[in-house]
Amino acid sequence: MQKMLFLGILLFSYSQMSQQIQKTTANGKEMVSNPKLVLVEGTLNVVMKQNVTLSCLSEPGSPPVRYALFKHNQQVSALNRSDLSPALFTLTISSASDVGEYKCKAEYNNSSGGKYSNSLSFTLLEPISKPVLSSPTSRAKKGQNVTLSCFSENGSLPITYLFFKGTQNISPQKTMQKRKAAVIFLFINSLSDFGTYKCKANNSFPNNTKYSNSFNFTVAEERSHSQPLIISLGLILLLLIIGLALAIPFFIIPLYKAKKFKSTRSSIGLTSTVNAEESYTENEVIYSEIEPLRPEEEYMNFSIIRREEETGENLNL
Ligand SMILES: *[C@@H]1O[C@H](CO)[C@@H](O)[C@H](O)[C@H]1NC(C)=O
Ligand SMILES: *[C@@H]1O[C@H](CO)[C@@H](O)[C@H](O)[C@H]1NC(C)=O
Ligand SMILES: *[C@@H]1O[C@H](CO)[C@@H](O)[C@H](O)[C@H]1NC(C)=O
Ligand SMILES: *[C@@H]1O[C@H](CO)[C@@H](O)[C@H](O)[C@H]1NC(C)=O
Ligand SMILES: *[C@@H]1O[C@H](CO)[C@@H](O)[C@H](O)[C@H]1NC(C)=O
Ligand SMILES: *[C@@H]1O[C@H](CO)[C@@H](O)[C@H](O)[C@H]1NC(C)=O
Ligand SMILES: *[C@@H]1O[C@H](CO)[C@@H](O)[C@H](O)[C@H]1NC(C)=O
Ligand SMILES: *[C@@H]1O[C@H](CO)[C@@H](O)[C@H](O)[C@H]1NC(C)=O
Ligand SMILES: *[C@@H]1O[C@H](CO)[C@@H](O)[C@H](O)[C@H]1NC(C)=O
């Protein structure tokens, strides 16, 4: 009973309200509401050569109404309606300047000014360019983590990327809201991971999926094996060179000098006392240098020289 009463009151007040609304619209054209601009054909994301249709309607209207369409606050089209039907505007997107913000305005016969609608914004969709698949590391070895990046330079955002190894996709879709490359990380742990990689990209431009270049990782395992070998070979070579460099003053020059001395000795020999003296000083130097090794031959040579010296000294005396 109480519920019924409540409902009755509700209904009564509702009918009162609607009556009032009807009265005000009938009475004053000054109660003109803002028109509504809606898209009736096409999409807000447009492509070149696309047709879109907009509808502008002021409700409740009192015809005749003059409807005008504005783009960036500049009127592009207008038409009169003598009935309550909406004004329909069809646009063909033929240049980048055709996209942007649109509004419509409803003007009544004797009203001053008119009312503006909500705005609708069109954006031009661009097809994506062929994506580029790349990696900072083209050589990889087993057990290595590598990255793959896929990037379409042009095309409307967002762009959705997908990565493939062979024909199998190896990652969930990556949708980029910014103009940034999609990146995945791969763990190379078998030979098949060196296969051919590709990625594909698409955006909301119709029928617009593009595949990237293919990318291979090359095995770096052989190089890693040969590297220590090359290093050790280089080290051995370096040691040899150092050894040789050390050998020159310590072994080869003394050897050469000793040979030279022997030959001078045999050629000039005991013929002059001056020579013998010179040989003595020279010999002393040779002796101290050769001493640590004491090769048998040199030693013998030396003792011979010593005797010669003695004889020389004797001669001097
Ligand atoms: C767009 O409209 C024009 C006429 O306004 C028409 O000639 C053209 O074929 C239409 N294009 C499409 C894709 O519907
Ligand atoms: C619409 O009506 C206005 C007068 O209200 C008139 O000036 C204008 O020329 C008409 N426009 C069209 C497109 O019929
Ligand atoms: C404007 O309204 C007046 C009456 O309110 C009417 O006589 C006149 O024909 C209307 N003009 C147009 C262009 O509809
Ligand atoms: C429009 O004109 C009618 C009569 O011509 C008048 O009664 C009405 O008040 C006018 N409305 C406005 C908004 O001026
Ligand atoms: C590779 O990355 C994964 C996680 O992405 C990590 O668990 C693993 O330890 C990494 N391996 C190497 C060799 O860096
Ligand atoms: C991207 O667009 C710019 C400008 O339109 C153009 O110069 C460039 O070649 C395009 N890049 C690709 C990969 O298509
Ligand atoms: C891009 O392609 C994928 C399939 O690969 C599809 O699921 C997705 O809807 C497409 N995105 C757009 C914006 O068309
Ligand atoms: C996209 O391709 C499908 C079939 O591949 C076709 O039915 C559709 O009409 C195409 N859409 C556009 C806008 O070209
Ligand atoms: C990648 O490797 C496959 C064989 O594994 C070969 O057929 C293909 O040509 C290679 N692609 C590139 C870009 O090197």
Side-chain angles (χ1 to χ4, degrees):
M1 199 48 195
Q2 265 184 341
K3 268 185 190 167
M4 289 282 278
L5 193 73
F6 180 70
L7 265 175
I9 291 162
L10 257 181
L11 269 171
F12 178 73
S13 51
Y14 176 74
S15 60
Q16 286 280 310
M17 259 171 66
S18 45
Q19 263 174 16
Q20 262 188 338
I21 290 165
Q22 268 164 2
K23 262 186 226 157
T24 48
T25 44
N27 285 352
K29 286 177 179 176
E30 69 271 11
M31 285 304 293
V32 168
S33 61
N34 288 71
K36 280 201 172 70
L37 183 68
V38 291
L39 184 72
V40 292
E41 202 192 302
T43 52
L44 287 178
N45 290 327
V46 292
V47 300
M48 283 294 178
K49 307 276 184 287
Q50 187 180 325
N51 290 339
V52 290
T53 303
L54 295 169
S55 149
C56 184
L57 181 62
S58 182
E59 259 184 327
S62 43
V65 189
R66 181 177 183 267
Y67 288 106
L69 186 69
F70 288 79
K71 177 179 76 185
H72 298 305
N73 303 322
Q74 277 198 316
Q75 186 178 312
V76 289
S77 178
L79 48 89
N80 291 332
R81 277 281 176 259
S82 54
D83 52 18
L84 286 165
S85 64
L88 295 178
F89 299 101
T90 294
L91 304 166
T92 301
I93 307 296
S94 52
S95 79
S97 66
D98 289 335
V99 298
E101 191 189 70
Y102 283 82
K103 273 184 182 181
C104 73
K105 184 171 119 178
E107 269 181 300
Y108 293 89
N109 184 352
N110 56 0
S111 74
S112 58
K115 298 264 186 174
Y116 284 92
S117 72
N118 56 300
S119 65
L120 286 181
S121 286
F122 290 97
T123 48
L124 190 63
L125 283 185
E126 286 175 292
I128 47 168
S129 57
K130 183 183 163 78
V132 174
L133 182 66
S134 63
S135 172
T137 46
S138 63
R139 285 172 168 278
K141 57 187 172 198
K142 269 192 190 178
Q144 191 179 333
N145 274 343
V146 291
T147 59
L148 272 178
S149 316
C150 186
F151 182 60
S152 279
E153 189 185 350
N154 294 331
S156 311
L157 296 169
I159 298 176
T160 299
Y161 295 97
L162 199 57
F163 290 84
F164 294 89
K165 184 170 79 182
T167 55
Q168 203 176 6
N169 90 59
I170 51 167
S171 72
Q173 285 190 10
K174 290 194 181 271
T175 301
M176 305 304 289
Q177 304 288 343
K178 289 179 181 164
R179 203 159 292 286
K180 266 176 67 187
V183 177
I184 59 162
F185 300 92
L186 291 175
F187 183 64
I188 303 279
N189 67 352
S190 78
L191 259 183
S192 68
D193 292 332
F194 292 99
T196 303
Y197 292 89
K198 271 194 181 206
C199 67
K200 78 170 184 183
N202 67 348
N203 62 3
S204 44
F205 193 95
N207 286 359
N208 180 49
T209 294
K210 288 195 173 118
Y211 283 88
S212 72
N213 54 299
S214 49
F215 183 90
N216 290 359
F217 287 107
T218 49
V219 187
E221 222 137 17
E222 276 144 44
R223 204 177 76 157
S224 70
H225 267 249
S226 60
Q227 241 170 4
L229 197 75
I230 288 167
I231 290 169
S232 46
L233 274 176
L235 269 174
I236 289 164
L237 207 72
L238 200 73
L239 283 171
L240 273 175
I241 289 166
I242 291 168
L244 212 70
L246 285 172
I248 288 168
F250 281 99
F251 308 117
I252 293 166
I253 290 176
L255 243 170
Y256 170 76
K257 277 188 175 171
K259 272 186 183 149
K260 201 177 107 185
F261 175 75
K262 207 163 82 179
S263 60
T264 42
R265 212 69 200 116
S266 54
S267 58
I268 331 170
L270 294 157
T271 48
S272 153
T273 48
V274 184
N275 265 357
E277 253 174 20
E278 274 173 3
S279 304
Y280 177 76
T281 50
E282 206 180 336
N283 189 52
E284 249 184 356
V285 177
I286 293 162
Y287 177 78
S288 60
E289 277 174 1
I290 291 170
E291 228 235 322
L293 270 174
R294 283 184 190 267
E296 214 52 38
E297 204 188 333
E298 301 297 319
Y299 189 73
M300 277 163 71
N301 268 353
F302 174 69
S303 51
I304 292 159
I305 291 158
R306 269 312 245 211
R307 249 182 279 132
E308 280 163 358
E309 276 153 14
E310 273 163 25
T311 50
E313 267 166 33
N314 285 345
L315 276 167
N316 268 346
L317 285 165

